[in-house]
Amino acid sequence: MEKPTLPKGTRDFGPSTMAKRQFIFNTIRTVFQKFGFQPLETPAMENLSTLTGKYGEEGDQLLFKILNSGDFLKDVAPQKIESRSSKLITSEIAEKGLRYDLTVPFARYVVMNRHEISFPFKRYQIQPVWRADRPQKGRYREFYQCDADVVGTNSLICEAEIILMITEVFKGLGIHDYTIKINHRGILSGIAETIGACENETALFAAIDKLDKIGEEKVKDELRAKGFSEKSLTNLFEILNAKGSTPEKISFLTKFFDNSEHGKKGLNDLQEVFTLLKSYGADDAHVEFDVALARGLSYYTGCIFEVKINNVSIGSVSGGGRYDNLTQTFGDKENLSGVGFSFGVDRLYDALEELQAFPKETRLSSKVLICHFDAETLQYGLALLQHFRAANIASEIYPDVSKLKKQLEYANKKGVAYTLVVGSEEVKSGALTLKNMDTGEQEKLTLHEIIQKLQ
Amino acid sequence: MEKPTLPKGTRDFGPSTMAKRQFIFNTIRTVFQKFGFQPLETPAMENLSTLTGKYGEEGDQLLFKILNSGDFLKDVAPQKIESRSSKLITSEIAEKGLRYDLTVPFARYVVMNRHEISFPFKRYQIQPVWRADRPQKGRYREFYQCDADVVGTNSLICEAEIILMITEVFKGLGIHDYTIKINHRGILSGIAETIGACENETALFAAIDKLDKIGEEKVKDELRAKGFSEKSLTNLFEILNAKGSTPEKISFLTKFFDNSEHGKKGLNDLQEVFTLLKSYGADDAHVEFDVALARGLSYYTGCIFEVKINNVSIGSVSGGGRYDNLTQTFGDKENLSGVGFSFGVDRLYDALEELQAFPKETRLSSKVLICHFDAETLQYGLALLQHFRAANIASEIYPDVSKLKKQLEYANKKGVAYTLVVGSEEVKSGALTLKNMDTGEQEKLTLHEIIQKLQ
């Protein structure tokens, strides 16, 4: 039999990776809960009718589809089968798919539970998503997202709190050099109006979105190819290259937006978010108003965010924004405004590794391993063990009678903090030797003293 | 557009359910870690070559299979397509499936990472599994399992610690009336030898396994139909109906097992587990040696466990045992002995609901909601909020300027413990009124006093 393998783009997370991942999850979850967000979990499988058409054509291609159970071909029309068209047959043999993100299942949940939910509804969701993407460095077919959203209010307090939450998560993770970029769809629309590109918003925003990656000249080339005039491009970059503090940028832009309601609304909202941050007495040192931030997804309608950790290879770890049409796609008539953001755990993980910023205590291992030599010392060890556990100290005993060297090696490999070697002398005297496995230091202590030390 | 629905047999978990589920998960995880088990997570998708053939023919039918991406029909031979045989085509168009349990992925992980793992390897795994079963009360197509296993040692300390862990989990959950049934495959084999049914072990164990549900007479009928003689049935029930304490049962059985090595080994192991429990100084009041416990799965080779909560409708919430051939199925030559058990979270949840045993504090909601009347009091509220959060108190402010009644209703529905109404007088004096939303009690306090009270 061949050695088993993992499906492409998927990973196992062994104990040491899991410990670090749990550190990230716990940090994020704690902050979400501290800000009044409550947990939601939705099933891995959704009906394809729920998922299809929500992520663009490319997204539909990337959905993992689940083969119907039983004799799935039974009711497929013969001509469809004979056509050999995978596309035609898919919808006949697969009704369900794996979720692609956490936003669409959330919207589905809100629509289905509308009358039980008390709005504004603040929910967080930490679950894996699946995409049949071509795997590459930093891109997987199964990965976790951590989302927090509020629906049912237009209040910009939500936007301010997103900034506060991001700040607090980074503090908890021990990441200090990062930037929270903020912009507003209204400002982008205002720019489009100002340069006379209202009809070409999509192309304009898509090009702006790449500015960071491809630079001014290539963005201009791309827009020229789409028919933008030289004058409009000059105007555009006069705005995009605005320098200065946030108030300076805002007053600079105000001059352009005399005739743009969208632009004025965008600037007002942004101004209000910064004013709110002051009312909290919060630090906005990491927040940067970036006129060139566009974000790909078309469903944003208000503030948009993107968070970048500076000086690491893949710095973009979080993004989000306000959307006004979350539930419309499910035929909901009442518009529910929402705003949310998402952390990518895999990228946070990679960044923390690169910065060597994981705290040492993330390890999830026993505090102490009891070692022994024979049936008698083992038996004595079991009684000790029961005392440690009664004191809530994670602890274990080596389960076999083995050479001491092997037992200590086990402790070492597993990252157990202390070992306690029980010999016949220890059984007689009750004086125990506790060894710190990191420093090699040894101390002679009573059981009571050891418990106090390890608690 | 039609209202969206959930796939059959799947569920959303909203905030209040999630809070209770997290209480169960946290209780189990804490105990697993306290006993030196370390976390593992494996991907939702496994290659079908990993999963198929591991759960019997029925299990294979219940695997959710994932349609290959892209033009999945391209390379399927025309005659296969024309055959219209779902069975023939499945393996051509689906390479991956969703995991069916946590044991097979664990075995796959051990085989793939054999040289990095330090044995004995104690891992726990808390993840959902998927089965295309017919949904019914208490049976879902997506459900969580919580497994803990040790591989790489024969030590019966592991069996004793399974009992200790189960005991501690139930203590943590607040469940007091339960039974940990224990038996041994060797004892069952010994019984088969004793009654002359060595050749018919599978039929015998399958029938015994149903004794609880269908009773003695129907088990006898079933075995008669399989050709068991009256004498063998009389002998069988003389053994199965053995009454008395564990030592009494053991000495009763010893008389039958003079010529059965399996039987002797089983009794010795069991005796040793009870002796070990004594060495720990542990309580074995909930442990019951049940000669009639058989457990369906054929891969067990040593001790077997089943845990039943008494006086609830679906009491069987956990089971497990020792197996000697975990990795053999993946072509592993060295035999790794392992022992493990699994908690079913959904059944624990239902039992806790039925017993009304969930602690009230499982709710995951803000400690305090700040209510306000206008821009000025809202602004003052934001500053207060920042103080609460700095003190790690989960807290929020109502994000819109609304009627007080609406704000209090929101707090009520969300299960927020306290509200703080900020009026213009409060802004002037700094004397704040804290209202306990459970009792209706109100207190006038300073910010500092409130923080001390809520921390």
Side-chain angles (χ1 to χ4, degrees):
Chain A
M1 181 166 186
E2 270 180 62
K3 243 201 154 183
T5 57
L6 275 172
K8 222 170 31 170
T10 69
R11 299 160 290 167
D12 288 321
F13 300 114
S16 64
T17 310
M18 275 299 290
K20 290 175 181 169
R21 287 172 65 88
Q22 285 194 11
F23 165 71
I24 297 174
F25 288 131
N26 289 341
T27 303
I28 294 173
R29 186 183 294 116
T30 303
V31 172
F32 285 170
Q33 289 180 185
K34 188 161 150 184
F35 279 74
F37 286 76
Q38 294 182 306
L40 171 72
E41 278 188 14
T42 62
M45 299 187 284
E46 294 276 354
N47 291 321
L48 280 173
S49 56
T50 299
L51 300 176
T52 309
K54 306 299 189 299
Y55 309 104
E57 207 175 313
E58 199 201 350
D60 286 350
Q61 302 275 332
L62 300 184
L63 292 172
F64 278 111
K65 297 168 189 83
I66 292 162
L67 200 56
N68 294 344
S69 304
D71 187 2
F72 53 86
L73 281 177
K74 203 179 60 179
D75 297 324
V76 183
Q79 60 271 36
K80 278 200 182 161
I81 293 186
E82 279 146 30
S83 76
R84 292 184 63 96
S85 160
S86 298
K87 250 194 187 156
L88 267 179
I89 289 177
T90 300
S91 61
E92 306 270 331
I93 64 174
E95 273 169 12
K96 294 181 290 289
L98 295 180
R99 69 174 162 254
Y100 180 89
D101 72 356
L102 303 177
T103 308
V104 167
F106 173 52
R108 195 244 333 119
Y109 175 82
V110 170
V111 172
M112 283 177 66
N113 298 276
R114 177 140 209 157
H115 301 295
E116 289 80 56
I117 293 173
S118 78
F119 294 99
F121 181 41
K122 300 167 83 169
R123 89 85 174 76
Y124 75 84
Q125 195 167 349
I126 300 181
Q127 290 191 284
V129 302
W130 294 270
R131 296 182 187 176
D133 233 327
R134 193 181 301 273
Q136 59 185 59
K137 194 182 168 338
R139 193 198 281 163
Y140 306 98
R141 292 186 148 193
E142 171 179 76
F143 56 99
Y144 267 78
Q145 292 192 329
C146 303
D147 282 26
D149 288 81
V150 193
V151 287
T153 172
N154 290 307
S155 169
L156 291 161
I157 286 179
C158 306
E159 276 82 344
E161 296 216 331
I162 284 177
I163 292 171
L164 297 180
M165 282 193 279
I166 292 168
T167 308
E168 195 145 339
V169 165
F170 279 117
K171 199 174 150 198
L173 293 176
I175 295 174
H176 307 291
D177 189 7
Y178 64 94
T179 308
I180 305 172
K181 293 184 176 186
I182 182 170
N183 196 9
H184 195 290
R185 274 287 159 121
I187 293 174
L188 290 170
S189 293
I191 293 174
E193 287 180 51
T194 303
I195 68 164
C198 289
E199 310 296 306
N200 263 322
E201 271 199 356
T202 313
L204 177 64
F205 298 167
I208 290 179
D209 206 36
K210 295 182 205 155
L211 184 55
D212 239 15
K213 277 188 202 149
I214 63 176
E216 182 169 334
E217 282 318 309
K218 286 197 171 147
V219 169
K220 280 182 173 165
D221 287 346
E222 189 173 317
L223 289 173
R224 273 183 204 114
K226 303 246 168 186
F228 282 67
S229 70
E230 284 309 314
K231 183 157 176 282
S232 71
L233 293 182
T234 310
N235 288 344
L236 174 65
F237 277 91
E238 189 187 350
I239 298 173
L240 292 185
N241 290 329
K243 295 275 178 301
S245 66
T246 298
E248 283 164 359
K249 282 185 197 164
I250 289 180
S251 74
F252 175 78
L253 280 169
T254 307
K255 290 181 278 179
F256 292 89
F257 289 168
D258 260 356
N259 296 314
S260 166
E261 289 311 310
H262 288 301
K264 278 187 214 162
K265 166 86 163 78
L267 288 178
N268 280 342
D269 279 3
L270 218 59
Q271 181 63 63
E272 172 71 9
V273 171
F274 280 96
T275 306
L276 283 168
L277 286 176
K278 282 219 173 58
S279 298
Y280 279 95
D283 170 23
D284 66 3
H286 291 279
V287 188
E288 184 190 311
F289 169 28
D290 180 357
V291 196
L293 173 69
R295 304 261 325 143
L297 289 168
S298 56
Y299 58 72
Y300 292 122
T301 52
C303 285
I304 46 182
F305 302 94
E306 194 163 299
V307 188
K308 230 180 112 69
I309 301 174
N310 301 319
N311 304 315
V312 299
S313 50
I314 302 183
S316 177
V317 294
S318 175
R322 181 172 288 276
Y323 41 81
D324 279 334
N325 314 309
L326 179 71
T327 53
Q328 235 175 31
T329 164
F330 292 110
D332 214 34
K333 275 161 213 149
E334 270 178 89
N335 248 355
L336 273 180
S337 182
V339 59
F341 73 115
S342 179
F343 279 113
V345 172
D346 297 286
R347 290 183 170 189
L348 281 174
Y349 185 98
D350 290 345
L352 283 164
E353 280 288 16
E354 202 172 326
L355 297 168
Q356 297 187 291
F358 274 115
K360 203 179 172 202
E361 316 82 68
T362 60
R363 68 175 166 197
L364 287 171
S365 193
S366 298
K367 251 326 192 357
V368 58
L369 173 77
I370 299 175
C371 307
H372 47 86
F373 298 96
D374 50 28
E376 187 208 0
T377 50
L378 187 151
Q379 193 186 335
Y380 187 83
L382 294 179
L384 291 179
L385 191 53
Q386 190 79 344
H387 283 286
F388 287 134
R389 289 180 180 156
N392 278 322
I393 295 165
S395 46
E396 59 187 296
I397 192 162
Y398 196 82
D400 298 298
V401 176
S402 286
K403 281 190 185 145
L404 183 59
K405 197 181 157 217
K406 199 172 169 192
Q407 300 182 49
L408 294 176
E409 257 175 31
Y410 169 81
N412 233 338
K413 274 200 176 173
K414 193 170 173 176
V416 176
Y418 294 90
T419 52
L420 192 63
V421 179
V422 180
S424 53
E425 207 165 302
E426 280 79 6
V427 174
K428 258 181 252 158
S429 70
L432 304 165
T433 306
L434 187 72
K435 181 177 179 182
N436 182 321
M437 293 300 284
D438 288 332
T439 64
E441 220 178 311
Q442 304 205 14
E443 276 183 284
K444 224 164 187 118
L445 300 166
T446 65
L447 171 63
H448 183 71
E449 288 165 337
I450 295 176
I451 287 176
Q452 283 197 313
K453 191 183 168 84
L454 300 187
Q455 246 171 349
Chain B
M1 183 168 186
E2 270 179 62
K3 245 199 151 181
T5 57
L6 275 172
K8 227 171 24 172
T10 69
R11 297 158 293 166
D12 289 321
F13 300 113
S16 64
T17 311
M18 276 298 290
K20 290 174 181 170
R21 286 172 65 89
Q22 285 193 12
F23 164 71
I24 297 174
F25 288 130
N26 289 342
T27 303
I28 293 173
R29 186 182 296 115
T30 304
V31 172
F32 285 170
Q33 288 179 186
K34 190 162 150 182
F35 280 73
F37 286 76
Q38 293 184 306
L40 172 71
E41 279 188 13
T42 62
M45 299 187 286
E46 294 278 354
N47 291 321
L48 279 174
S49 56
T50 300
L51 300 176
T52 309
K54 307 300 189 298
Y55 308 104
E57 206 177 315
E58 199 201 353
D60 286 351
Q61 302 276 330
L62 299 184
L63 292 172
F64 278 111
K65 297 166 189 84
I66 292 163
L67 201 56
N68 294 343
S69 304
D71 187 1
F72 52 86
L73 280 177
K74 203 179 62 180
D75 297 324
V76 183
Q79 59 272 37
K80 277 201 183 161
I81 293 186
E82 280 146 31
S83 76
R84 291 185 65 95
S85 159
S86 299
K87 251 192 186 160
L88 267 178
I89 290 177
T90 301
S91 62
E92 305 271 330
I93 63 175
E95 273 170 9
K96 294 181 289 289
L98 295 179
R99 70 174 160 254
Y100 180 90
D101 72 356
L102 303 177
T103 307
V104 167
F106 172 52
R108 194 241 337 116
Y109 175 83
V110 169
V111 172
M112 283 177 66
N113 298 276
R114 176 138 208 158
H115 301 294
E116 289 80 56
I117 294 173
S118 78
F119 293 98
F121 181 41
K122 300 167 84 169
R123 88 86 174 77
Y124 75 85
Q125 195 167 349
I126 301 183
Q127 291 192 284
V129 301
W130 295 270
R131 296 181 187 177
D133 231 326
R134 192 182 303 273
Q136 59 184 59
K137 195 182 167 337
R139 192 198 282 162
Y140 306 100
R141 291 185 149 193
E142 172 179 77
F143 57 97
Y144 267 78
Q145 292 192 330
C146 303
D147 282 25
D149 289 80
V150 193
V151 288
T153 170
N154 291 307
S155 168
L156 290 161
I157 286 179
C158 306
E159 275 83 344
E161 296 217 333
I162 286 177
I163 293 170
L164 297 179
M165 283 193 277
I166 293 168
T167 308
E168 195 145 339
V169 164
F170 280 118
K171 198 174 151 199
L173 294 176
I175 295 174
H176 306 291
D177 189 6
Y178 64 92
T179 307
I180 305 173
K181 291 183 177 186
I182 183 170
N183 196 8
H184 195 290
R185 274 287 160 122
I187 293 175
L188 290 170
S189 294
I191 294 174
E193 287 180 49
T194 304
I195 69 165
C198 289
E199 308 296 307
N200 263 323
E201 271 200 357
T202 313
L204 178 64
F205 297 168
I208 289 178
D209 207 35
K210 296 183 204 154
L211 184 56
D212 238 15
K213 278 188 200 146
I214 63 176
E216 182 170 334
E217 282 318 308
K218 286 195 171 147
V219 169
K220 280 182 174 166
D221 287 347
E222 190 174 315
L223 290 174
R224 270 182 206 114
K226 302 246 169 188
F228 282 68
S229 70
E230 285 309 312
K231 181 156 176 280
S232 70
L233 294 182
T234 310
N235 287 344
L236 174 63
F237 278 90
E238 188 188 349
I239 298 173
L240 292 185
N241 290 329
K243 296 273 178 297
S245 67
T246 297
E248 283 164 0
K249 283 185 198 164
I250 290 180
S251 74
F252 175 78
L253 280 168
T254 308
K255 290 181 278 178
F256 292 89
F257 289 168
D258 261 356
N259 296 313
S260 166
E261 288 311 311
H262 290 300
K264 278 185 215 163
K265 166 86 161 77
L267 288 178
N268 280 342
D269 280 3
L270 218 59
Q271 181 63 63
E272 172 71 7
V273 170
F274 281 95
T275 306
L276 283 167
L277 287 177
K278 284 221 173 56
S279 298
Y280 280 95
D283 170 22
D284 66 2
H286 291 280
V287 188
E288 184 190 310
F289 169 29
D290 180 357
V291 196
L293 174 70
R295 304 255 332 139
L297 289 167
S298 56
Y299 58 73
Y300 293 121
T301 51
C303 284
I304 46 182
F305 302 95
E306 193 163 298
V307 187
K308 229 179 113 72
I309 301 175
N310 300 319
N311 303 313
V312 299
S313 50
I314 303 183
S316 176
V317 294
S318 175
R322 181 172 287 276
Y323 40 80
D324 280 334
N325 314 308
L326 180 71
T327 54
Q328 235 174 31
T329 163
F330 292 110
D332 215 33
K333 273 162 217 149
E334 267 176 273
N335 248 357
L336 273 179
S337 182
V339 59
F341 73 115
S342 179
F343 279 112
V345 172
D346 297 285
R347 291 183 168 190
L348 279 175
Y349 185 98
D350 291 345
L352 282 163
E353 280 290 13
E354 203 172 326
L355 296 168
Q356 298 188 291
F358 275 115
K360 204 179 169 200
E361 314 82 68
T362 60
R363 67 176 167 198
L364 287 172
S365 192
S366 298
K367 248 329 188 357
V368 59
L369 173 78
I370 298 176
C371 307
H372 47 85
F373 296 98
D374 50 29
E376 186 206 1
T377 49
L378 187 150
Q379 194 186 333
Y380 187 83
L382 294 179
L384 291 179
L385 191 54
Q386 189 79 343
H387 283 287
F388 287 134
R389 289 179 181 157
N392 278 323
I393 296 166
S395 46
E396 59 186 297
I397 192 163
Y398 196 82
D400 298 299
V401 175
S402 287
K403 281 187 185 149
L404 182 59
K405 197 182 156 217
K406 199 173 166 191
Q407 300 182 48
L408 295 176
E409 257 175 32
Y410 169 81
N412 233 336
K413 272 200 178 173
K414 193 170 173 175
V416 177
Y418 293 90
T419 54
L420 192 64
V421 179
V422 180
S424 52
E425 206 167 302
E426 279 80 5
V427 174
K428 259 182 251 156
S429 70
L432 305 165
T433 307
L434 186 72
K435 183 178 177 182
N436 182 319
M437 294 300 283
D438 287 333
T439 64
E441 221 177 312
Q442 303 204 14
E443 277 184 285
K444 224 163 187 118
L445 299 166
T446 65
L447 172 63
H448 183 70
E449 288 165 337
I450 294 175
I451 287 175
Q452 283 197 312
K453 191 184 167 83
L454 300 187
Q455 248 172 349

